[in-house]
Amino acid sequence: MSPAGGPSGALIALVGELIERAEAAAPGILPVIAIVGAQGSGKTTLARAAAEAFGAVQVSIDDVYLTRLEREAMAREAHPLLLMRGPPGTHDLGLMEQLIDSLARAGPDDTTLIPDFDKRGDDRWPLSCWREYRGRPRAVLIDAWCLAALAVPEHDLAMPINALEQQFDRDGRWRSLVNGQLDGPYARFAQRLGGTLFLRAPGFEVVHRWRCQQEADLLGVAPEALPAHERDRLAGFIQYFERVTRQMLDGHVDADVTVQLDEHRRAGGPVWRKSSPRV
C-alpha cells in the first residue's frame, strides 16, 4: 500500500471477503466491518476503495468525535486531557450506532446524512455540511484506529510511557479512564462488528513519519518540505495515541485478520485469526 498508488487489489479483496463472511453468518443484517490500525497506515484510503468496489459506504470514526462543548465538559469534570479528540472516550459511539441503524433501514430512494468533522476548527460540522448517501449500502466500512483494541490490566498502566503522560497524567487517571472506555463502551460497540481487519505497523517509531506524510499531502507539499513546527506539533499529538497503539501492536486487538505492513506501508500476507466472523 502507498499513498500515491492506493491500496492493493489483494487488500481490497480481503475486505470483500470479510463482507461475504459476515453476510453468510448473519443473512439480512447489514455488515459492519472495521479497518483499524495506527495513524497513517492507510485505513481511510482502503475503506474508500473497498466501499467503491463493493457498493458499501465508508465512514470514519474521526467524523463522530464528540463536539468541542462536550469535550470541554469532560475536560472539566473528568480529566483535562479529554479535551483532545482521538483517544477512546472522545467519540460519539451513540451517533455511530444511529447512523448504522439508519443505513440498515434505508430504502433504495432514502437519503442518509453521514456526519463530518472539521479538524481545523476542532468541532463537528453542522448538518447542512454532512455528506449524503442514497439507498441501502451492502456494508458499512468504518476506518477507526482504536476499534477492537482491548483493555489491559490496570498494573500495565502504572508507568508513564511518554512526556505527555509524565507531565499531565502523573497519577495515571487519564490512561485509566481511556482503558475503561476500551473495556466498556468500545467493547460493547465492537460486538456489532461483522469483521475487523488490522493493518499492523512494523512499530510505533514509523507513526510520526507516516503522520507527517499525511499532513504534507493535505497541505500539498513534499514530505521533506513540511515545516519543523508542524513536525513538532504532530510529534506531540501522536503521544495521545501512543499507549493504545503500542498495546495493539503487542497483540491487544480483537482482529479477524491482521495484515503486516512494512515501513513503506507495503502489505505482507494476511494472517487469519478467526474461523468465522462475529455475529
Side-chain angles (χ1 to χ4, degrees), residues 72-169:
E72 286 176 350
M74 288 197 309
R76 289 191 303 270
E77 297 165 7
H79 196 286
L81 290 181
L82 290 171
L83 178 62
M84 177 61 73
R85 68 182 188 270
T90 64
H91 303 99
D92 190 339
L93 296 180
L95 178 59
M96 183 68 83
E97 294 261 18
Q98 294 170 19
L99 172 60
I100 294 169
D101 291 340
S102 295
L103 290 166
R105 293 192 302 264
D109 298 321
D110 291 334
T111 297
T112 303
L113 292 176
I114 309 295
D116 200 359
F117 194 89
D118 176 11
K119 292 183 178 179
R120 291 291 179 183
D122 194 27
D123 211 345
R124 194 177 297 161
W125 285 109
L127 281 171
S128 59
C129 297
W130 292 12
R131 62 188 172 102
E132 298 181 348
Y133 186 87
R134 187 177 178 85
R136 185 184 191 273
R138 181 180 174 188
V140 178
L141 307 181
I142 306 177
D143 59 271
W145 78 277
C146 60
L147 272 186
L150 301 174
V152 298
E154 279 291 318
H155 60 75
D156 287 355
L157 308 175
M159 298 299 295
I161 64 168
N162 56 32
L164 175 79
E165 294 185 359
Q166 179 65 49
Q167 185 173 359
F168 298 108
D169 190 40

Side-chain angles (χ1 to χ4, degrees), residues 33-39 41 43-44 47 58-62 64 86 91 93 96 141-149 186 189 193 196-198 248 253:
I33 307 298
I35 300 173
V36 305
Q39 289 181 298
S41 56
K43 304 179 297 296
T44 303
Q58 172 267 335
V59 180
S60 176
I61 200 170
D62 289 358
V64 295
H91 303 99
L93 296 180
M96 183 68 83
L141 307 181
I142 306 177
D143 59 271
W145 78 277
C146 60
L147 272 186
Y186 288 70
F189 182 88
L193 299 176
T196 302
L197 189 156
F198 177 35
M248 294 174 74
V253 58

Side-chain angles (χ1 to χ4, degrees), residues 4-274:
S8 68
L11 273 180
I12 295 172
L14 267 180
V15 178
E17 188 169 349
L18 281 170
I19 294 172
E20 291 175 355
R21 286 156 60 92
E23 289 172 333
I29 303 299
L30 180 65
V32 181
I33 307 298
I35 300 173
V36 305
Q39 289 181 298
S41 56
K43 304 179 297 296
T44 303
T45 303
L46 174 57
R48 287 174 176 165
E52 182 176 354
F54 301 113
V57 60
Q58 172 267 335
V59 180
S60 176
I61 200 170
D62 289 358
D63 288 326
V64 295
Y65 286 130
L66 293 168
T67 66
R68 175 80 186 192
L69 283 176
E70 289 169 325
R71 286 180 284 118
E72 286 176 350
M74 288 197 309
R76 289 191 303 270
E77 297 165 7
H79 196 286
L81 290 181
L82 290 171
L83 178 62
M84 177 61 73
R85 68 182 188 270
T90 64
H91 303 99
D92 190 339
L93 296 180
L95 178 59
M96 183 68 83
E97 294 261 18
Q98 294 170 19
L99 172 60
I100 294 169
D101 291 340
S102 295
L103 290 166
R105 293 192 302 264
D109 298 321
D110 291 334
T111 297
T112 303
L113 292 176
I114 309 295
D116 200 359
F117 194 89
D118 176 11
K119 292 183 178 179
R120 291 291 179 183
D122 194 27
D123 211 345
R124 194 177 297 161
W125 285 109
L127 281 171
S128 59
C129 297
W130 292 12
R131 62 188 172 102
E132 298 181 348
Y133 186 87
R134 187 177 178 85
R136 185 184 191 273
R138 181 180 174 188
V140 178
L141 307 181
I142 306 177
D143 59 271
W145 78 277
C146 60
L147 272 186
L150 301 174
V152 298
E154 279 291 318
H155 60 75
D156 287 355
L157 308 175
M159 298 299 295
I161 64 168
N162 56 32
L164 175 79
E165 294 185 359
Q166 179 65 49
Q167 185 173 359
F168 298 108
D169 190 40
R170 292 183 180 179
D171 62 1
R173 190 161 49 92
W174 172 70
R175 48 192 185 266
S176 182
L177 287 169
V178 169
N179 197 55
Q181 287 287 318
L182 290 178
D183 201 33
Y186 288 70
R188 290 192 292 272
F189 182 88
Q191 292 175 2
R192 186 161 192 171
L193 299 176
T196 302
L197 189 156
F198 177 35
L199 298 175
R200 187 180 186 278
F204 187 77
E205 65 278 357
V206 304
V207 174
H208 182 245
R209 176 161 56 84
W210 286 357
R211 189 63 186 82
C212 286
Q213 288 172 345
Q214 276 188 326
E215 196 69 15
D217 289 343
L218 290 173
L219 295 174
V221 301
E224 58 272 17
L226 190 68
H229 71 271
E230 280 294 311
R231 293 182 177 276
D232 291 342
R233 180 184 67 82
L234 292 171
F237 181 55
I238 66 174
Q239 290 186 49
Y240 287 84
F241 300 77
E242 182 172 355
R243 180 175 290 273
V244 175
T245 299
R246 287 187 182 277
Q247 290 169 187
M248 294 174 74
L249 294 177
D250 288 341
H252 293 278
V253 58
D254 186 17
D256 295 282
V257 59
T258 296
V259 174
Q260 180 65 52
L261 304 180
D262 67 13
E263 62 178 311
H264 302 292
R265 285 173 284 192
R266 292 185 296 244
V271 178
W272 288 89
R273 297 200 174 182
K274 291 189 177 71

